[in-house]
Amino acid sequence: MNELLERFIELYGDNTTSATEMYFSPGRVNLIGEHTDYNGGYVFPCALDFGTYLVIRKNGMDRFRFATTNFDDRGEINIITELEKKDNHWYNYPLGVIDQFRKQGARFEGLDFLFSGEIPNGAGLSSSASIETVTAFALNEIFNLDNSRLDIVKLSQKAENQFVGVNCGIMDQFAVTMGKANHAIFLNCATLDYELVPLIMDGHKLIISNTNKRRGLADSKYNERRTECETAVDMLGNAQEMENLSQINFARFIELKDEISSETVYRRARHVISENKRVLDAIGALKNNDLVFFGKLMNASHDSLRDDYEVTGEELDTLVEEARKIPGVLGSRMTGAGFGGCTVSLVEDDVIEQFKKVVGENYKQRTGLTADFYIAGVGDGTKKIS
Ligand code: GLA
């Protein structure tokens, strides 16, 4: 942290007329409930203990200056006249947040920003939500904008949807802003009601395995899946009025299945509706200390994402297959949007070293890629660092 402050002063000078503040927002890993958020369903993510730091200070100019320790790319932008999306620059994330605040009527003074991200980007651990929310949280405090944490979640999601142009759901921004150490968040994405559930995992850890296959969310099949789900709602709507797929349970879905005239659309809907049930069952399992059942549900979630939703791909499937071969691995699944990115596995403490070694070697042999492994520490949501 001191290093980051030193870097900030190196970049922007040692101006003592304005306070220099530091903020943090984590990454997230979703334990179960994938591709349900934009379908009004259930998710069960937790915040990680690594994320994005932001050092920020008013600069007395009419400019926002952006820098990061992660890339060489720096930006300098007039606070009024130049607030539009910049091609392929990372600082579209903070700019999108500024844009949303301005649409709400907020007025800013010039600021210097230095970000430092610990989340591998493109890995499906929400590096973008982390940047957005840390920016929103900091601006909200510095300019006394009086937004709640939930406002920050919604505003950051809008920034990503409208400014960056990725049509994501609300899970990532919610998880990184509302997270609590050693808890996962059971969120109903239709009502935004949520419950913090203690993650008691006697003798086990969550291991995140990174395929290191880059996952382009914006130009991926993500939006196509959203459209397929909307088509399913339209088709089912002929028999029963509904706004989203999460308004019917699995039994009702089977009753109505002949309404869906496309086999692909049927499988997409079957994933969403069965996944909602798995989230509810998984939370029950966790509350009963039944990690074995929790692991089975993780496996079933992956299989549904692979076969029905078709968002996994060779790298994720290989990592999951190799993980499941190791005795002491209770469950393994992809996490996040898919098409690359990471898996999450529930692993007995005693086999963690074996897991990294054997899964790593076999994955390399089968795909030619080198995986990275992290033990997921579950941390707090967005905060100011004093
Ligand atoms: C990405 C999106 C989320 C969610 C997941 C899939 O992470 O940003 O909103 O849809 O994919 O569960």
Side-chain angles (χ1 to χ4, degrees):
M1 275 189 264
N2 278 342
E3 252 173 60
L4 197 59
L5 283 173
E6 277 167 26
R7 180 85 189 111
F8 185 88
I9 290 167
E10 236 172 75
L11 280 170
Y12 298 120
D14 196 3
N15 145 0
T16 44
T17 49
S18 302
T20 307
E21 315 279 7
M22 196 189 287
Y23 294 86
F24 170 80
S25 204
R28 68 96 188 90
V29 62
N30 188 22
L31 302 183
I32 194 160
E34 218 66 81
H35 288 277
T36 46
D37 63 348
Y38 53 84
N39 286 300
Y42 301 121
V43 294
F44 195 46
C46 50
L48 294 168
D49 61 1
F50 55 90
T52 311
Y53 291 85
L54 166 61
V55 184
I56 183 168
R57 188 177 64 195
K58 289 184 187 172
N59 61 19
M61 303 188 274
D62 58 357
R63 314 193 78 67
F64 297 127
R65 296 190 293 187
F66 297 107
T68 167
T69 60
N70 298 82
F71 313 103
D72 271 339
D73 183 26
R74 291 172 63 180
E76 188 165 334
I77 282 156
N78 183 287
I79 64 172
I80 302 189
T81 57
E82 293 173 345
L83 270 187
E84 70 282 339
K85 188 175 169 185
K86 309 284 178 277
D87 285 345
N88 291 326
H89 288 291
W90 65 271
Y91 44 83
N92 282 323
Y93 294 105
L95 268 183
V97 167
I98 291 168
D99 176 62
Q100 284 299 326
F101 274 127
R102 285 182 54 91
K103 286 185 173 141
Q104 291 184 357
R107 291 294 170 263
F108 295 116
E109 298 160 48
L111 292 160
D112 290 337
F113 297 80
L114 175 62
F115 291 86
S116 185
E118 301 169 317
I119 311 169
N121 52 10
L125 301 176
S126 293
S127 55
S128 28
S130 182
I131 300 186
E132 289 151 7
T133 54
V134 78
T135 307
F137 193 90
L139 294 177
N140 185 54
E141 282 209 359
I142 294 169
F143 294 93
N144 296 314
L145 298 174
D146 210 18
N147 285 270
S148 66
R149 276 185 186 259
L150 188 57
D151 296 332
I152 285 169
V153 170
K154 292 181 179 165
L155 181 139
S156 300
Q157 184 202 9
K158 260 196 182 168
E160 176 124 6
N161 293 165
Q162 298 179 3
F163 195 86
V164 181
V166 178
N167 209 6
C168 64
I170 201 159
M171 168 169 73
D172 302 346
Q173 289 79 7
F174 199 99
V176 305
T177 308
M178 309 296 251
K180 181 167 177 217
N182 302 317
H183 288 70
I185 308 172
F186 170 35
L187 171 66
N188 176 335
C189 298
T191 61
L192 300 185
D193 290 334
Y194 72 101
E195 180 191 344
L196 293 167
V197 182
L199 269 181
I200 300 166
M201 298 193 305
D202 286 333
H204 296 79
K205 300 267 181 318
L206 292 165
I207 309 278
I208 296 173
S209 310
N210 190 346
T211 59
N212 282 318
K213 175 182 181 217
R214 276 202 65 88
R215 169 195 61 91
L217 189 62
D219 49 21
S220 73
K221 303 224 165 232
Y222 188 87
N223 288 343
E224 187 184 299
R225 292 293 177 278
R226 288 193 69 137
T227 310
E228 287 164 342
C229 291
E230 283 159 20
T231 308
V233 170
D234 285 346
M235 289 177 172
L236 291 166
N238 293 327
Q240 176 175 333
E241 215 171 286
M242 66 175 81
E243 282 150 32
N244 63 55
L245 285 174
S246 303
Q247 289 173 339
I248 53 172
N249 65 21
F250 200 76
R252 182 70 180 140
F253 174 62
I254 297 301
E255 275 169 25
L256 297 179
K257 76 178 188 347
D258 291 339
E259 300 295 329
I260 302 187
S261 53
S262 144
E263 201 262 338
T264 305
V265 171
Y266 170 70
R267 284 187 291 112
R268 304 297 189 246
R270 182 166 66 183
H271 164 72
V272 173
I273 295 166
S274 63
E275 184 80 349
N276 279 327
K277 167 97 168 57
R278 281 187 288 274
V279 177
L280 296 177
D281 290 347
I283 286 156
L286 195 61
K287 288 181 175 170
N288 288 327
N289 281 323
D290 188 350
L291 290 185
V292 170
F293 187 37
F294 192 92
K296 288 197 170 127
L297 292 160
M298 291 172 78
N299 286 343
S301 167
H302 182 88
D303 296 352
S304 174
L305 288 156
R306 179 192 62 212
D307 301 335
D308 275 357
Y309 219 63
E310 295 182 279
V311 291
T312 58
E314 190 202 335
E315 293 80 6
L316 287 166
D317 289 337
T318 305
L319 267 186
V320 160
E321 271 171 37
E322 293 301 330
R324 289 182 190 170
K325 285 183 193 160
I326 307 220
V329 174
L330 300 188
S332 185
R333 62 181 292 276
M334 60 151 268
T335 185
F339 316 103
C342 290
T343 66
V344 56
S345 308
L346 184 57
V347 184
E348 238 171 57
D349 285 346
D350 293 346
V351 301
I352 290 175
E353 286 314 309
Q354 184 195 354
F355 178 99
K356 291 187 198 165
K357 182 168 182 295
V358 176
V359 175
E361 280 170 7
N362 293 349
Y363 177 71
K364 169 112 207 203
Q365 205 202 347
R366 289 178 61 184
T367 63
L369 295 171
T370 303
D372 286 318
F373 300 97
Y374 326 93
I375 294 183
V378 178
D380 285 325
T382 316
K383 60 189 172 193
K384 181 170 181 182
I385 301 198
S386 44

